[in-house]
Amino acid sequence: MIKRERLNIIMGMLQQKPTVTVNELANNLDASTSTIRRDLLTLQSEGKVLRSYGSAELSSSDNIELSYLFRKQEHEREKQTIAEIASTFLGNNQALFIDSSSTASFLAPYLAPLENVIVITNGLRVAAALDNIPSVKTYLTGGALKYRSGSLLGETSIEYVDDFNADLFFFSGVGVTPGYVFMSSQRQSVLKREMVARARKSILLVDHSKFGKRGFYRLMPTNRVAAVITDAKPAADFMTFAQKSDIEVLYDE
């Protein structure tokens, strides 16, 4: 059996079953485990599967943290709208946590007219966008740089955040439901939970495509968010939940 035939069969098996082991694939394809591992490496390089020790699963937007450049270009107009609405929360003499999300990075121009603002972020590109704004004192968390994401993560970043308190935390996620806000990365979730704990209010910035979506990691119950800012009115079930939970929902009308 040629390699491409094996790859097609592997993809077919993964579409029938969420996770398959290397041994299962080897038995079904009558191939060695080393051959199967090389096949999975090929599929992973093509962005089709995620490998873990001894098994593989289909990749999806729910369990892959996309590159910063891709995220910034996706729904860019909507993110600009969200940032404009979010700017109504900004004022002089504030301390802000801003995550490394592409959505939150659009806030940077709205900080320029303000005075005596402190920003603590784990986003390299957020910090770079603030570099030419003299009225903003920017603190970068430190930590391990996650490949292509522009995010600093790990124990160092968590310990750094623990030294600060903030008025507001602006952040995004891969999905939101009336139950939870979701992330694609466990390491991102751990750091953002620390920021939530150290901020007086947390403000979720998500475009319309994120409503009803679930990711692999639950960041926090949605009812802990003070406000949700988006580009279009969410569905009735979310609006009802938000009203009952005293969550402010702002969107482009």
Side-chain angles (χ1 to χ4, degrees), residues 8-148:
N8 289 336
I9 293 172
I10 290 170
M11 290 301 296
M13 291 179 65
L14 284 167
Q15 287 165 0
Q16 298 296 319
K17 187 178 179 182
T19 303
V20 293
T21 68
V22 170
N23 288 334
E24 283 181 90
L25 293 170
N27 291 334
N28 276 275
L29 293 168
D30 193 25
S32 67
T33 55
S34 59
T35 296
I36 295 301
R37 288 191 177 93
R38 287 194 295 271
D39 288 346
L40 292 175
L41 278 171
T42 298
L43 291 171
Q44 181 175 259
S45 69
E46 294 174 355
K48 295 177 179 176
V49 305
L50 293 177
R51 294 188 312 121
S52 57
Y53 182 76
S55 65
E57 63 184 86
L58 280 179
S59 64
S60 75
S61 59
D62 292 339
N63 57 22
I64 292 180
E65 187 173 6
L66 300 171
S67 73
Y68 178 89
L69 181 59
F70 180 89
R71 288 183 285 122
K72 191 172 189 294
Q73 293 172 341
E74 187 181 36
H75 300 295
E76 184 171 354
R77 182 177 297 176
E78 290 88 340
K79 291 173 182 178
Q80 290 172 341
T81 297
I82 291 167
E84 184 177 4
I85 297 170
S87 69
T88 61
F89 285 84
L90 299 175
N92 297 329
N93 306 308
Q94 286 182 328
L96 310 171
F97 287 133
I98 300 179
D99 75 356
S100 58
S101 67
S102 59
T103 306
S105 70
F106 284 94
L107 280 172
Y110 297 99
L111 294 169
L114 303 180
E115 297 179 0
N116 192 32
V117 174
I118 294 173
V119 171
I120 305 97
T121 182
N122 71 312
L124 286 182
R125 292 169 180 88
V126 173
L130 297 172
D131 183 41
N132 293 320
I133 303 177
S135 59
V136 177
K137 184 178 290 186
T138 305
Y139 293 86
L140 201 53
T141 63
L145 178 61
K146 182 173 174 59
Y147 175 63
R148 296 180 67 194

